[in-house]
Amino acid sequence: MARDKNKPNHGRKLKPESQMMSYGYRPEWSEGAIKCPVFQTSTFVFRSAEQGKAFFEVAYGIRQPRPDEKSGLIYSRINNPDLEILEDRLTLWDEAEDCAVFESGMGAITTAFLEFLKPGDLILTSAPLYGGTDHFLTTFLPKIGIEVMEFQPRQEEADIIRQLEASGKQDRLAMVYIETPANPTNALIDIGACKAIADKYSTKDKRVLVAVDNTYMGPLWQHPLKHGADLVLYSATKYIGGHSDVIAGACLGSMELIHRIKVLRTFLGNMAGPWTGWLLLRSLETLKVRMEQQAANAEKVAAWLTKHPKVEKVYYLGLLTPEDGQQYRIYKKQHNSPGAMMSFDIKGGGDAAGDERKAFQFLNRLKLIKLAVSLGSTESLAEHPATMTHIGVEEHHRALMNITAKLVRLSVGVEDYEDIIWDIEQALEAL
Ligand SMILES: *Cc1c(COP(=O)(O)O)cnc(C)c1O
């Protein structure tokens, strides 16, 4: 497909939300269809054998594409219009050069690890990480000789460097991989500081990469590439998909890095299918209105929670104040919204068992808010990190991160905020 995504639109730099309905697609390609159809096809016909050869050379990484050369449509494991248009549109939010879409967030994350890490390498990660990511890092990567080192939120740059140097493994550092805000308590990590650490251990022949899982905040509220990250990863299952009906992932960065990712994706075969691509194109049209409404609702819910006598503490970025020091500074630097994820401690049930009982009673009594993991969807979701999403986190680390039996996580949806508050109130009332 001859795409013209680089042409300025009507001589004006349009905002991403203005381009989500049209960017990268022209109706004349498809009988005038205003929407990009689902290209439910496995293979594409070449105009000539020479064209087929050129397409394969680029797709297999045998040569770099020439500056104005588009990768041609070959076969839907390599590329497909629904995926390519989706990738082009996703680049707009993060102002990334390129994007690769996957069949899941885990597909995107593991492909990035496999492409950029090799036996003998060290990967430095923040903690806690998403359970699936953590599992892959701690059970699979060591099998192929890749070592993992963790640092904790609130550790300062100098302290992380001390920890690295004390291990004697600093010269093997290949990637700094972080999730910020940390799930579920919203502890923030300074992307710029991670970039400084990566630069410190980069050499002439080896560039240490910074990769950020931006699922919690993206692609609207935090743009890691602007703060020095090399790769941004998403579970597109969350805000990007936004309707709890599709699993998908994405990786964004420079042309050079994403080209490598796409070549490996071709051989792992973990690209998203055309139907997933189409669903996400549809989701992207309302991404901004959904996310803004969710954040507006979350601010109201968080403010209300702080005043409730049965709520002990609320973890929400919008509640940070200058007294929070480093955390507040990172928030101001990295974020343009407090987002729509929060967690809160329900006032004590005496001991851990009592705390869990209270949290469970609360969750079981919710009527409108659904008791489910996942996040970022149109419907509000609540869950219990200690026994659900974070059950795999080591006890000691769970305590360090305030993931206790009394903690409940809330992903705020697009419902009327007074209805959300009503539901939380009636569930707390009953305790
Ligand atoms: C859900 C999630 C993932 C995994 O994504 P899938 O689409 O479920 O594979 C990774 N990171 C974070 C932060 C997530 O919330």
Side-chain angles (χ1 to χ4, degrees), residues 52 91 100 111 154 162-163 171 196 278 316 318 402:
T91 62
T111 302
R154 298 193 177 81
R162 259 194 306 279
Q163 177 188 324
D171 295 334
W278 189 90
Y316 178 61
N402 299 330

Side-chain angles (χ1 to χ4, degrees), residues 104-106 109 130 133 179 213 215-216 235-238 247-248 375:
S104 67
M106 286 312 302
I109 293 164
Y130 178 73
T133 308
E179 272 175 35
D213 180 336
T215 301
Y216 239 57
S235 168
T237 312
K238 313 296 164 54
I247 300 275
L375 60 100

Side-chain angles (χ1 to χ4, degrees), residues 113 123-131 133-134 137-138 148-155 160 163 173 175-183 187-191 194 197 210-214 393 397 401:
F113 290 156
I123 175 170
L124 178 68
T125 76
S126 62
L129 291 178
Y130 178 73
T133 308
D134 184 73
L137 282 164
T138 53
V148 185
M149 184 187 288
E150 275 187 351
F151 66 92
Q152 303 299 317
R154 298 193 177 81
Q155 241 177 291
I160 299 170
Q163 177 188 324
L173 185 65
M175 184 185 279
V176 183
Y177 180 87
I178 61 170
E179 272 175 35
T180 180
N183 174 6
L188 297 175
I189 293 154
D190 188 335
I191 300 168
C194 293
I197 294 170
V210 175
V212 180
D213 180 336
N214 198 34
V393 177
H397 281 151
M401 294 170 300

Side-chain angles (χ1 to χ4, degrees), residues 37-83:
V38 186
F39 284 85
Q40 193 67 51
T41 185
S42 61
T43 195
F44 298 86
V45 178
F46 303 136
R47 280 199 201 111
S48 66
E50 288 77 9
Q51 186 190 50
K53 177 184 175 190
F55 286 1
F56 265 94
E57 283 172 348
V58 172
Y60 274 54
I62 288 163
R63 62 174 174 83
Q64 283 289 317
R66 285 183 290 272
D68 57 345
E69 187 177 11
K70 318 270 186 222
S71 43
L73 292 163
I74 299 177
Y75 181 74
S76 286
R77 176 158 47 73
I78 301 170
N79 51 11
N80 174 288
D82 294 294
L83 280 203

Side-chain angles (χ1 to χ4, degrees), residues 102-372:
F102 290 83
E103 64 186 352
S104 67
M106 286 312 302
I109 293 164
T110 55
T111 302
F113 290 156
L114 292 173
E115 177 56 33
F116 297 111
L117 299 173
K118 59 179 188 325
D121 280 349
L122 175 73
I123 175 170
L124 178 68
T125 76
S126 62
L129 291 178
Y130 178 73
T133 308
D134 184 73
H135 186 85
F136 189 80
L137 282 164
T138 53
T139 64
F140 183 78
L141 289 185
K143 283 203 287 199
I144 56 170
I146 296 160
E147 218 174 313
V148 185
M149 184 187 288
E150 275 187 351
F151 66 92
Q152 303 299 317
R154 298 193 177 81
Q155 241 177 291
E156 300 268 2
E157 181 183 330
D159 191 35
I160 299 170
I161 289 172
R162 259 194 306 279
Q163 177 188 324
L164 255 176
E165 305 253 335
S167 75
K169 296 169 187 162
Q170 65 275 13
D171 295 334
R172 288 160 49 197
L173 185 65
M175 184 185 279
V176 183
Y177 180 87
I178 61 170
E179 272 175 35
T180 180
N183 174 6
T185 52
N186 285 329
L188 297 175
I189 293 154
D190 188 335
I191 300 168
C194 293
K195 171 68 173 162
I197 294 170
D199 285 348
K200 183 172 164 65
Y201 297 104
S202 290
T203 61
K204 206 160 69 286
D205 325 299
K206 182 192 76 172
R207 173 159 151 225
V208 178
L209 297 179
V210 175
V212 180
D213 180 336
N214 198 34
T215 301
Y216 239 57
M217 277 286 147
L220 236 72
W221 300 323
Q222 174 174 263
H223 297 118
L225 297 177
K226 294 206 174 99
H227 300 280
D230 300 289
L231 294 170
V232 182
L233 294 139
Y234 289 107
S235 168
T237 312
K238 313 296 164 54
Y239 286 105
I240 294 172
H243 295 72
S244 301
D245 57 6
V246 64
I247 300 275
C251 179
L252 294 96
S254 67
M255 288 293 235
E256 183 202 341
L257 297 180
I258 300 302
H259 179 68
R260 284 179 58 179
I261 291 267
K262 283 185 176 170
V263 171
L264 182 60
R265 183 185 67 176
T266 291
F267 300 103
L268 293 175
N270 55 359
M271 72 301 155
W275 176 231
T276 294
W278 189 90
L279 279 172
L280 292 176
L281 286 175
R282 185 171 174 146
S283 287
L284 279 184
E285 298 189 6
T286 56
L287 180 78
K288 192 172 185 209
V289 285
R290 280 187 281 114
M291 289 182 76
E292 284 188 341
Q293 188 60 52
Q294 287 172 271
N297 285 351
E299 288 197 65
K300 303 272 199 213
V301 172
W304 181 86
L305 280 171
T306 56
K307 298 200 191 83
H308 198 284
K310 290 182 183 169
V311 173
E312 194 174 290
K313 184 169 168 61
V314 183
Y315 303 88
Y316 178 61
L317 293 180
L319 298 173
L320 288 173
T321 66
E323 270 98 272
D324 294 296
Q326 177 229 33
Q327 290 289 299
Y328 182 76
R329 283 196 303 278
I330 303 175
Y331 171 56
K332 283 293 166 193
K333 183 170 72 168
Q334 265 169 218
H335 298 266
N336 50 37
S337 163
M341 291 299 298
M342 70 187 71
S343 50
F344 56 95
D345 288 327
I346 293 176
K347 251 197 196 133
D351 54 6
D355 286 346
E356 180 178 305
R357 205 158 40 242
K358 278 207 168 178
F360 280 16
Q361 277 174 355
F362 169 78
L363 289 168
N364 289 336
R365 280 177 175 137
L366 290 170
K367 293 177 175 166
L368 174 68
I369 300 168
K370 298 288 180 290
L371 170 52

